[in-house]
Each structure stands twice: as structure tokens, then as C-alpha cells.
Amino acid sequence: MFLALEERLRESVASYVSAKYGSGAPVVVELPRRPEFGELALPLCFGLAKRLRREPRKIAEELAANLPAIAGIRSIEAAGGGYLNVRFDRGAYALAALSPAAAAADKAKIADKAKIIVEHTNINPNKAAHIGHLRNAVLGDTLVRMLRALGREVEAQNYIDNTGVQVADVAAAFHFLERRSPQAVAALAADPDIAFDRYCWDLYAAVSRRYAERPQSLSWRTQALSAIESGTGELAALGRVVSDAIVDRHLDTMLRIGVEYDVLPRESEILGLEFWAAAFALLKQRKAVYLETAGKNAGCWVMPAENFRDAPAGARPDRERPLDEEAAASASKVIVRSNGTVTYVGKDIAYQLWKFGLLPGKDFHYAPLRRYPSGRQAWVSTADAGASAADAAAPAFGSGAEAYNVIDARQAYLQDVVRAALRLLGYERQAARSIHFSYEMVALSPRCCAELGIELAEEDRKRPYVEVSGRKGLGVKADDLIDRLIDTAYEEVRDRHEDLSEAACREIAEQIAVGALRYFMLRFTRTTVIAFDFAEALAFEGETGPYLQYAAVRAKNILRKFEETAGAPPDFSTALSPQAWSRHLDENLWQLLLTASRSRWAISRAAAAGEPAQLARHAFELARTFSNFYHQYPVLKEADRERQTVLLSIARYVLDELKSLLAVMGIPAPDAM
RNA sequence: GCGCCCGUAGCUCAGCUGGAUAGAGCGCUUGCCUCCGGAGCAAGAGGCCGCAGGUUCGAAUCCUGCCGGGCGUACCA
């Protein structure tokens, strides 16, 4: 609704201005900073002023007087130093916003049908998920939901690095430290009394300590790594048992917060089905990599640094000291190690190529992994063509037109290397559409460390925050945080609802916990380091998920109580005339309705900016405006029937829009709180 | 050293492609239940937007240089 009108305004003004002043510049439309300034503002006269060498205010006045009428817009006036303030025809706008046609018209405008692949979560399957992984999953899942809400086809992929060092370390720990067989570990993983992911969390920290204390035990890692890569032997079997069981736990954890995946491509298949071999052949053929013969990288296949660094120091003429050979070698990126095994970057290059359908003749086989309660089916890659019945039924994964890689900012360097590989292979367009959707880490605040009883090293004590480290076992586990959120919410719900059963309270508490957690992760822009603090994460008041949920509950209550006492409400889309709207639509009501009507605009703006936090902000603004309305307008006590219908229809409309915003953020809308 | 990110109210953060009087939440102070549940509403105090230059009619926003802080720069991912 809002989007359509904004579009119409932009086009109309642009064509008039280009005809009158010959300016082809795109017309920028912004939200006025104060409501008195109208619904939209055009700052274009400032730009015109320069070209025309006239005062912006004068141009604005001229435009305001001469612009042709635009349907749905009541007035355009000059304001301030040269703004054009635009006011809508409120009655007509309200009527249109509430009509089912408005929503349908928005949905019909799907710009692009091409498939988008969003890769997120990507947790090493060797230990329990922690809060950093939650940020990744919430950002990724919200991105998926935003794009889907805008009508795009989106494939959610969760890449499983089941052949890397981290899994090798835990496999080695079971083998060498605990002397357990794959069968014994499988039994451990199946034991309902043992949280296997937590068990591995501790074991991973233990083996890392062991490496630090006795470096010679690092040979365990080497043995495990090569066993896993060849796929044979006890250590390889351990690796499989560990990673499969942990992946299952991760899916459980993520499902708790409403995160689902379409497909889990695994690194074992990148290797086993020779995706990597095919990619390596391409890289060699294009001379994107070469075999280093001297220096510290001797025996490795490397990619020279100038391919992925825009301005290497040696290439800059203003630098007096050019890069010497030693430095050049150390800046190169090793793709294949001297022992012949491939690094993560190499495997990721193969994966990215597959995502864009650039490995001819290569595809995974698939096996069904789990069916979500929502009905969505998750698949996992497999090398085994034997499961052919299911395999044949699997959707066509991969071959996307665009890929978002939700990966934390610390991996920017590796992402640059992967993109450089695409470019070197001649896939310039795909490289440009392989987007590193980066975000800063979640660290632990000093207070949080104190609360967890973590003893900090001397140098860490002075820091503003401490990095989470799986290797050190330092962090807050995702499930622990979710449990605490539920417990805290449960106490609150219990206090407020003596009428509800324990199970009902529990369900509401879970919804509140998810709302609190997801909103917490979304409030921050992607470039902000979150210094995690329990007090902040567990807050349910102010700008929090539960505040938004509470606004929805209040709207539901109004409508429910109305129905209980007065029967079915009228059809709001037809019950009121534009005149009726104009009679009752005061400034507050108008601002509320207007804010609600901007939800789709907010989604597309947040998607375009790649910043889910903007969406969170908008949803909060809507909830806040509604809370004010709730307090100020006693809907059920309203004696004037027509006025009551206006109020009710606004409540209905806000509820619908708020629910759709919550859904895009993956936040449940409880019936009661 | 080089690259990227951050520095805005006591604290935690917004501020969209430069635009109108710099915003929110928490905390603090003060009001508000004859109520559709207060996880709320209203009001108030609180800001050399790190510093210094520059570009511009106009800079929290763009450029340069400093000063703090973080991350990266692995044959880990």
C-alpha cells in the first residue's frame, strides 16, 4: 500500500521534473523526521538548486504549485529550506489499506523469480552450539524469511564441515583419550540421559588442553584427519558417528527457535563425489593456483595474494619498500597442503561453484534427514546413490542465481579468496552475486564471565569483552540460554495466570523465550559486536521481543472480548465509508494506521539494505504506537458505533500487520501472556 | 606493518543513499488502574555525535590525518 503510493509519487514527480528541468536524476523519497511534515518528503530541490542556480525554496514553491495531481495524494507543499512535503488523502488511504486487494496487489509485484541460496548456521559438528551460532542462525533465518515474504524463491542451506580439524579432534579424543570404539560412542550418543553435544563440548576442550600441554599428541589430529579424509578405519568411523549425532542435536537446538533448513550439503560429499577434484582441475587449468616450490609453502598449491587483495603493499608505488619474495609467499593462500589434503577454502570454492551450478555433471545424492512439524522436509547430501527412491524424489538443489553466505566477519579474508577463485575461473557475475553476509561476533561481557565463574587471564581482564572459544570451552551454550529464558518467562507467566495449566504456561513461556532471544539477536546491526550479558538477554521489558508480543496479545484481547460480548464484528473492509474514516481518524489514529501500512515497505527496505535490524526497529515502532493507542482509546467502551468500528478495524489491521512482521522475524505471537 | 569493523546520553544501541529542532530502550525523577491485563502509558532531567582539518548552501553521515578499542592477516575453520 505504502510502497505503491511511494512508487507512484516517485514516478510522477520524476517525469514532471525531467520534462520541466531536464533533470534525469532519480527522485529520492524519504520519511519526514516529524509527523507534522506529512507522510513523505522530497529533498530534490536542493539538488536542482545547484544545477539551476536558484534558491531551493523557490524551486520547491514552483513545483508545489505546478505538479500534476497524483491519485491518493492530497497535497504537496514547499517547506523548510526547500523540501516538498507530501500529504496523503487519509480517508481513501485508510479504506484502501484495509481492503484485501491491497495485500494482494503487493504480493503480485514479485520482481525476480531467480532462486536465492542462503547458507547459514554452518556449525562445526563437534560440540554443542553456542550464542555466536545463535546470532548466525537468527540472522540467516530472518534473511530467508524476509526474502520469502517478498516473494523470492529461497533455499536455506546449512553447510556441514564434517571432515575438518574440529571433528578430527573430537574423534581423536574419543579414540586416544577415552579409548572408545565407534560403537561405544554411538551408544553414548543414543543415551537419552547424556547430552552428547555437551559431552563433546567438554571433550573438545579437554583434547585442546592436551595438545597445548603435550604438543607431540598433535599427531593424533594428523592421524584422525587423514583417516577421515580417506574415509576408512576406526577414526573415520568415529568422525562419522560424532558429526552425525551432533548435527542432529544442532537441528534440535535450532528448531527450538524456529529455524529450519532445506538441505545440508556435507563436506564429505564435496570430497567423496569429487566436487573438489573437479574444482581443482579447473583452478589448475586456469592457472589460478600454482605449486609452490620454495619457501615456507613449498609443496603446497597456493593462490597468489594479488588475486584477493585489492592493493597489496608491493603494488603501491607510494610505498618505498616493495614486497619481497618472502612476504609475497606468506601473503599467498594455501589451497592444498603439502601432504596433499585440501584446506577449508578449497572445499568452499567447490561448494560455491556447485551453488551456482558451475560444476557440470556434478550433483549430490540426497537422503531425507527430517520432516519438520511445519511440513518442511530437510535433506542431507550423500554419496550413496543406493537410496535412489528418495534421491530421485529430492528437489533440485543448488544452481542458484545469487548466494548469501551468512558467515561472521572474522572470515572475510577467506570469503575474499573464494570470490577471487570464482573470478579467476571467469565467473565474474557469480563472484559479484556471492555475497558475504557478514556480522560481528558475540563476545562475553566481563559481567557474564564473572557470572559463569570463568577465571580470566590477566590480559583478558582489562578487555571490554572476551571472545567465545569452543576450543577453550569458553562460552554460553545455546540450549542453556534458551532454557534460562524459558524458566524466567515461565515464572512470570505462572504469576499472571493462575487459570492456565502448567502445560499451557510452559507453551507460552517457550514462545516468549523465542521472541526474546530472536529480537535480542536482531536489535543490533550486523557490524556491532554483541558483548553478551544475561541481564540484557533476559530482559522482557522495553525494546524486547516480549514487548512486541504483548502488543499483539492486547490487540487479540480487544477483538476476542468484542466478539464475546457483541458477536461477530462487521467486515471492516466494507463497513466504513471514506467520510466515516475522515470523521474519526484523528492524528494518533492516522499515525498508527500509517505505521502499520508500512510493514511491507519496511521488509523490502531492510532486505535491500541487508540489515534485519531495521525491520526489528520498525516492528518495535509499530508496537509502541499501538500500545499508546491501547492506553488512550478504550475501544470496547466506545458508545458511538461508527467510531467503535473504526477503532476495531484499526486494531484488526495493526494485529495482522504486526503478526506478519513477527512472522518474518520468526517470533511467535502467543494468544495470551 | 597492512586490511576490515567500532567510537553518538550514566549504560546498551538506532540514526536508511549527506538535509528540517540528533532518537530509542535501560537506569534515574515525577505522574497515571471507577482498566480492553501495568511485560504498560505520559512527562522530565541527561549529548564539544572520539579529536583536528577538509569538501558542501548543508556533515553524526563523505574525504584526509591523528587518538582509543576490536578482529583478521595459519599447511584451523
Side-chain angles (χ1 to χ4, degrees), chain A residues 202-413:
Chain A
D202 294 334
L203 189 57
Y204 182 49
V207 73
S208 298
R209 274 196 305 276
R210 173 68 172 243
Y211 290 155
E213 285 158 13
R214 304 176 60 177
Q216 64 269 34
S217 47
L218 276 164
S219 71
W220 298 349
R221 172 188 286 173
T222 317
Q223 287 176 60
L225 205 50
S226 68
I228 286 170
E229 197 154 318
S230 73
T232 55
E234 185 120 321
L235 281 163
L238 278 169
R240 279 193 295 273
V241 168
V242 168
S243 63
D244 287 354
I246 296 287
V247 164
D248 197 51
R249 298 303 188 284
H250 289 166
L251 293 190
D252 286 345
T253 301
M254 293 310 167
L255 184 56
R256 295 181 82 186
I257 60 166
V259 177
E260 301 180 352
Y261 311 91
D262 295 303
V263 62
L264 281 66
R266 297 190 300 187
E267 211 161 79
S268 48
E269 278 72 58
I270 296 276
L271 297 172
L273 294 172
E274 304 196 319
F275 282 31
W276 162 242
F280 192 28
L282 287 173
L283 290 168
K284 283 195 277 199
Q285 186 192 326
R286 288 284 187 156
K287 308 226 183 302
V289 294
Y290 71 93
L291 183 60
E292 184 64 79
T293 53
K296 67 174 190 123
N297 290 337
C300 298
W301 286 87
V302 304
M303 184 184 290
E306 65 263 24
N307 294 309
F308 50 88
R309 291 190 166 149
D310 10 291
R316 300 237 314 248
D318 55 320
R319 298 285 168 199
E320 65 281 9
R321 202 159 54 88
L323 214 57
D324 57 34
E325 279 192 30
E326 184 77 11
S330 75
S332 296
K333 180 64 199 168
V334 172
I335 308 294
V336 178
R337 303 182 186 102
S338 54
N339 67 3
T341 60
V342 57
T343 59
Y344 163 78
V345 188
K347 291 177 271 199
D348 203 18
I349 290 168
Y351 176 38
Q352 293 298 323
L353 287 169
W354 170 78
K355 277 191 193 173
F356 287 106
L358 298 175
L359 287 177
K362 292 287 182 196
D363 197 2
F364 298 108
H365 296 290
Y366 300 99
L369 186 61
R370 76 162 66 185
R371 167 83 67 179
Y372 290 109
S374 69
R376 183 175 298 279
Q377 176 70 50
W379 299 77
V380 63
S381 68
T382 165
D384 183 13
S388 56
D391 191 17
F397 294 119
S399 295
E402 206 171 341
Y404 286 92
N405 312 317
V406 183
I407 298 174
D408 78 75
R410 286 169 293 189
Q411 297 195 46
Y413 170 71

Side-chain angles (χ1 to χ4, degrees), chain A residues 562-585:
Chain A
F562 178 83
E563 281 192 46
E564 280 169 10
T565 56
D571 177 354
F572 296 129
S573 63
T574 56
L576 296 161
S577 65
Q579 292 74 30
W581 275 109
S582 305
R583 267 196 294 279
H584 300 290
L585 207 55

Side-chain angles (χ1 to χ4, degrees), chain A residues 585-593 625 628-629 632-633:
Chain A
L585 207 55
D586 62 33
E587 192 58 32
N588 287 330
L589 296 178
W590 168 247
Q591 289 302 332
L592 175 58
L593 187 135
T625 312
N628 172 285
F629 161 85
Q632 255 189 294
Y633 297 78

